[in-house]
Amino acid sequence: MRIEKKLTQEAISGLAMGVRTYQKIESGVNAPNLESIFLIATALGVHPKELLNVSIASEEKSRKK
């Protein structure tokens, strides 16, 4: 979603979350907590549910390969 919206990792993390923290969430190294999910969703302009649906859909595609 971030890339589709042409946003940088810095733009998503903003002042509320460190860029490194966001990078670890995006790469799958760390799982986001609820607060992070809401911060990222707000920065992307989407409902938090949309972020959770993307993660599930991506995992299903990976399993099918």
Side-chain angles (χ1 to χ4, degrees):
M1 271 188 199
R2 176 185 65 79
I3 294 169
E4 289 173 7
K5 294 181 180 260
K6 297 182 170 69
L7 295 170
T8 64
Q9 291 178 333
E10 291 82 6
I12 298 296
S13 63
L15 298 175
M17 177 189 323
V19 176
R20 296 272 187 244
T21 300
Y22 177 77
Q23 289 171 337
K24 288 179 181 179
I25 292 169
E26 186 176 280
S27 66
V29 172
N30 289 351
N33 59 28
L34 287 175
E35 182 180 1
S36 296
I37 291 171
F38 279 95
L39 291 170
I40 294 167
T42 300
L44 289 169
V46 298
H47 191 278
K49 178 182 169 186
E50 292 185 51
L51 296 180
L52 300 174
N53 288 339
V54 168
S55 297
I56 293 168
S58 296
E59 287 180 25
E60 287 177 8
K61 287 180 185 177
S62 296
R63 288 183 197 152
K64 290 180 182 179
K65 289 183 180 179

